[in-house]
């Protein structure tokens, strides 16, 4: 006979339990090593588990045997929690093993689930604000809880079904026996009927209740006389699925022999209970329906536990808002039920500056702030057809089902920004918080939930990059440009290797006699997908990604190779080559070595190479070492300041820089094109004259950019400018153009 675990004397072989905690019931591997390293955890939790469930179930084991059995199950739970990759499946086996060992009391499961949520994570060090993987650990523990409860429920359900099946078989056997066997089998049935823990009721095909056992009477709260005055249909629940009573009608009409469903019943006191209902049809000798037998198991506790676990699986434990899983489920259903004309909208928001608050004031303050933000969002947004969810960290998302137009999500975004304007009080801190919001609103036809989520994420990034505390609406054209930028960025390294880049050259002409003295190398990209790209399409992107350094190194080498060809062909009449240096190139530690190697490899004289840097790049080195520029200048390389006059230069600092040439920005030269009615050409002429005088006083040459007319060239020559560059002389072109000009 089985006996309660409570009251069993303390085990005399504690060393045996400790050995079991270290040995376990799971196969070898990395997870085993982790569990072996937690033998004390396994032992401690097994003892606490045995203490917690003592007296809640009747098992045929001594106290020491209970502890040993639970130690083996504990090892499986620890393995599941620590496994990489994570898999909660072993916890289902633990739940089934508990039922197999007759730990079937409802309180046993409740205490086990509660202990698993608090005691075991603490012993493993998976809780507390100091734990870096706290949120991940909470998700693992919840998954293990759910798996254990699921395995427990499934095993218990299967055992019940087996018992119900045994009872059904007894009923059918009784029908087919002789009178003597029938009396004997009915006596056995009566014994089973009266003593069964499962509620059993017998009725006729009209639904009148004829008999019920004690378990059913206790479950429903009625006496047998009260039940005999009721009809089966009196126990319909208003929320019963239509399929339940369709199955019942088919049964009593003889169209089926049995059915199983999960169904709610009202007790006599009005309380609702959840049950597993199995109803079977009894036929007479001619096969006509005569009776119905219902077997009912009360699963209310199990159902409530499953509902609680399901809620935890679909809601954020911190804010109580729906989590990513529930949000994605609702989003998918919005697409499934949207129809041909349905629309859907998303507001994807991220808190600005939350990381600073979290890092400076602590995670507890950060968590409370997230709770307060979640409450404000729920208060100002919640309505039928809308869902506010926290999908991770400081990111929230609002789903608008059956939206009417883009204005719907814009209005919601404005409400959210307004709701977050007021400071939030957290303890002694008054915190100001704002949000950046990405908006997407479109018809459900022609798109997918994944597309909408991707575009909302992209638009949130736009909102943050545009200045924060604002919303941005998804723009297909902007997205296409962003995709093109990404494509260019990703393909640039291979494009250099494939030879997709080439150089055009624009002449630099001496104004006094029109002699060609130099050529500026300008890079172009012949892209296989986007066609011919000017520098403004990719130079900025190359600077952002760092590709400007290898690209600039290629330009320098290719330009010097061409300069050597001119040097060999035209001798002293060959032009010097001018190459632009980006800011990032100028600060590259290997710049001087790269230039020296290129000059050595190509055989170009250093004096025939000019490196152009923007005014901001050169002047930005005022507080930085100028060793690289000085080293290049010492080699004989010419240094030129490009677009001079457009920045905020410290002019007095010019004389300390290793600079040889100033290239005046074309915006000043444009005013010299023709006489203007407002006299602006006079002002521009004076500015250019001043810049030329300043450069000459410092011993620097001057080149004017953007020369497009003869009048400009003549005036620049009169002012004293040394050389010019622009479409008046020639547009950028291939090396042959320079050859023709020199010839």
């Amino acid at each position: 006979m089985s006996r309660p675990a409570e009251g069993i004397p303390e085990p005399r072989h504690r060393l045996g339990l400790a050995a079991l905690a270290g040995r376990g019931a799971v196969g070898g591997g990395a997870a085993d090593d982790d569990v072996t390293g937690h033998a004390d955890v396994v032992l401690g939790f097994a003892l606490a588990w045995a203490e917690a469930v003592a007296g809640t179930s009747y098992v045929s084991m001594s106290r020491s045997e209970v502890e040993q059995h639970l130690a083996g199950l504990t090892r499986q739970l620890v393995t599941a929690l620590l496994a990489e990759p994570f898999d909660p499946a072993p916890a289902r086996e633990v739940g089934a093993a508990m039922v197999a060992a007759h730990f079937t009391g409802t309180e046993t499961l409740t205490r086990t689930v509660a202990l698993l949520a608090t005691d075991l994570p603490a012993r493993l060090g998976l809780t507390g604000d100091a734990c870096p993987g706290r949120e991940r650990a909470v998700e693992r523990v919840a998954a293990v809880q759910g798996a254990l409860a699921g395995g427990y429920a499934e095993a218990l359900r299967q055992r019940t079904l087996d018992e119900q099946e045994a009872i059904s078989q007894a009923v059918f056997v009784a029908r087919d026996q002789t009178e003597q066997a029938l009396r004997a089998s009915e006596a056995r049935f009566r014994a089973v009927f009266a003593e069964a823990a499962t509620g059993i009721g017998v009725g006729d095909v009209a639904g009148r209740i004829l008999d019920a056992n004690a378990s059913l009477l206790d479950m429903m709260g009625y006496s047998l006389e009260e039940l005999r005055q009721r009809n089966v249909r009196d126990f319909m629940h208003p929320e019963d699925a239509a399929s339940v009573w369709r199955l019942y009608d088919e049964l009593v009409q003889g169209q089926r022999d049995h059915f199983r469903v999960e169904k709610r019943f009202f007790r006599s006191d009005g309380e609702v209970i959840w049950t597993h209902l199995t109803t079977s049809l009894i036929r007479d000798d001619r096969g006509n329906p005569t009776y119905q037998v219902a077997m009912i198991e009360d699963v209310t506790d199990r159902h409530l536990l499953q509902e609680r676990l399901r809620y935890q699986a679909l809601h954020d434990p911190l804010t109580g808002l729906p989590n990513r899983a529930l949000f994605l489920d609702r989003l998918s259903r919005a697409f499934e039920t949207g129809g041909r004309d349905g629309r859907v909208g998303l507001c994807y928001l991220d808190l600005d500056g939350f990381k600073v608050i979290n890092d400076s004031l602590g995670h507890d303050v950060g968590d409370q702030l997230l709770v307060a933000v979640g409450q404000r969002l729920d208060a100002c947004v919640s309505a039928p057809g809308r869902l506010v969810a926290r999908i991770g960290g400081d990111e929230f998302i609002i789903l608008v089902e059956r939206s009417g137009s883009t204005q719907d999500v814009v209005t919601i975004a404005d409400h959210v920004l307004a709701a977050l304007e007021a400071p939030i009080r957290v303890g002694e801190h008054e915190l100001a918080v704002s949000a950046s919001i990405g908006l997407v609103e479109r018809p459900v036809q022609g798109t997918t939930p994944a597309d909408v989520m991707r575009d909302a994420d992209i638009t949130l990034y736009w909102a943050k990059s545009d200045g924060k505390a604002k919303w941005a609406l998804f723009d297909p054209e902007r997205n296409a440009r962003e995709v093109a930028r990404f494509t260019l960025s990703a393909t640039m390294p291979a494009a250099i290797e494939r030879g997709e880049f080439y150089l055009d050259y624009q002449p630099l002409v001496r104004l006094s006699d029109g002699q060609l003295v130099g050529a500026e190398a300008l890079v172009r990209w012949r892209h296989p997908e986007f066609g011919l790209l000017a520098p403004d399409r990719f130079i900025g992107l190359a600077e952002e990604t760092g590709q400007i350094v290898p690209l600039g190194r290629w330009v320098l080498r290719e330009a010097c190779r061409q300069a050597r060809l001119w040097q060999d062909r035209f001798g002293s009449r060959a032009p010097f080559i001018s190459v632009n240096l980006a800011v990032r190139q100028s600060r590259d530690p290997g710049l001087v070595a790269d230039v020296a190697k290129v000059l050595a490899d190509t055989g170009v004289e250093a004096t025939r190479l000019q490196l152009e840097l923007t005014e901001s790049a050169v002047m930005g080195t005022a507080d930085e070492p100028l060793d690289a520029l000085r080293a290049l200048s010492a080699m004989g390389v010419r240094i030129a300041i490009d677009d001079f006059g457009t920045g905020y230069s410290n002019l007095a600092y010019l004389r300390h820089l290793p600079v040889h040439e100033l290239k005046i920005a074309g915006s000043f030269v444009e005013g010299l094109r023709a006489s203007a009615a407002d006299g602006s050409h006079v002002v521009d002429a004076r500015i250019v004259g001043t810049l030329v005088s300043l450069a000459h006083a410092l011993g620097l040459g001057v080149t004017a950019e953007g020369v497009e007319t003869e009048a400009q060239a003549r005036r620049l020559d009169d002012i004293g400018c040394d050389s010019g560059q622009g479409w008046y002389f020639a547009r950028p072109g291939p090396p042959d153009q320079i050859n023709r000009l020199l010839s």
Side-chain angles (χ1 to χ4, degrees), residues 268-522:
S268 61
D269 56 8
E271 181 183 349
V272 175
I273 59 173
W274 282 87
T275 70
H276 276 311
L277 169 67
T278 300
T279 304
S280 300
L281 182 66
I282 306 299
R283 301 175 185 268
D284 61 18
D285 293 339
R286 288 176 291 183
N288 297 319
T290 53
Y291 300 104
Q292 52 179 308
V293 177
M295 286 168 282
I296 304 174
E297 178 195 6
D298 185 351
V299 295
T300 303
D301 290 341
R302 191 188 316 163
H303 178 82
L304 294 177
L305 175 61
Q306 290 172 339
E307 285 297 306
R308 184 163 69 249
L309 293 174
R310 182 177 183 275
Y311 180 89
Q312 292 174 353
L314 296 176
H315 289 77
D316 173 41
L318 178 64
T319 63
L321 294 174
N323 62 11
R324 177 185 289 271
L326 180 54
F327 165 76
L328 292 177
D329 178 68
R330 282 281 296 272
L331 179 62
S332 297
R333 282 196 281 128
F335 272 77
E336 293 168 0
T337 61
R340 178 174 300 177
D341 300 324
R343 301 178 69 89
V344 68
L346 290 186
C347 301
Y348 191 3
L349 64 109
D350 178 272
L351 300 184
D352 301 325
F354 176 76
K355 186 176 186 302
V356 175
I357 295 174
N358 215 28
D359 292 345
S360 59
L361 301 181
H363 290 275
D364 183 59
V365 173
D367 286 350
Q368 293 182 60
L369 176 62
L370 291 174
V371 171
V373 169
Q375 291 171 346
R376 289 194 183 185
L377 293 177
D378 195 42
C380 76
V381 172
S382 289
R386 297 180 184 175
L387 177 74
V388 183
R390 179 189 178 213
I391 60 174
D394 59 338
E395 294 181 353
F396 297 82
I397 197 162
I398 300 165
L399 170 64
V400 183
E401 300 174 338
R402 298 178 298 280
S403 59
S405 66
T406 299
Q407 186 58 43
D408 286 356
V409 294
V410 170
T411 300
I412 290 174
D414 288 336
H415 287 166
V416 169
L417 293 177
L420 295 179
E421 286 180 354
I424 296 176
R425 189 78 182 178
V426 177
E428 59 183 16
H429 305 287
E430 192 170 79
L431 305 175
V433 66
S434 63
S436 298
I437 310 176
L439 305 181
V440 177
E441 196 280 336
R442 63 181 57 156
V444 297
Q445 291 293 319
T447 188
T448 66
D451 292 339
V452 175
M453 285 295 294
R454 180 200 61 216
D455 293 344
D457 193 24
I458 291 171
T459 312
L460 172 60
Y461 171 78
W462 293 349
K464 280 195 167 295
S465 62
D466 290 346
K468 303 181 180 179
K470 60 175 60 177
W471 54 261
L473 185 64
F474 182 75
D475 178 1
E477 293 184 2
R478 179 176 179 179
N479 184 57
R481 292 194 299 271
E482 295 285 348
V483 171
R485 279 175 56 84
F486 174 79
T487 302
L488 292 178
S489 173
T491 58
M492 190 176 296
I496 298 174
E497 297 296 328
R498 290 194 298 262
E500 294 176 9
F501 290 96
Y502 70 94
L503 297 183
D504 277 341
Y505 299 89
Q506 187 171 31
L508 283 75
V509 177
R510 190 161 52 222
L511 294 175
S512 61
D513 58 6
Q515 180 67 39
L516 189 151
V517 294
E520 180 177 353
L522 301 169

Side-chain angles (χ1 to χ4, degrees), residues 66-90:
V66 168
E67 292 174 353
Q68 290 182 7
H69 182 73
L70 295 183
L73 300 185
T74 299
R75 182 177 174 82
Q76 292 180 263
L77 293 175
V78 173
T79 299
L81 281 173
L82 300 181
E84 292 295 345
F86 174 64
D87 180 9

Side-chain angles (χ1 to χ4, degrees), residues 46-70:
L47 295 177
W49 191 1
E51 183 66 28
V53 302
T56 61
S57 297
Y58 284 80
V59 295
S60 58
M61 287 189 272
S62 66
R63 179 61 174 268
S64 62
E65 291 171 338
V66 168
E67 292 174 353
Q68 290 182 7
H69 182 73
L70 295 183

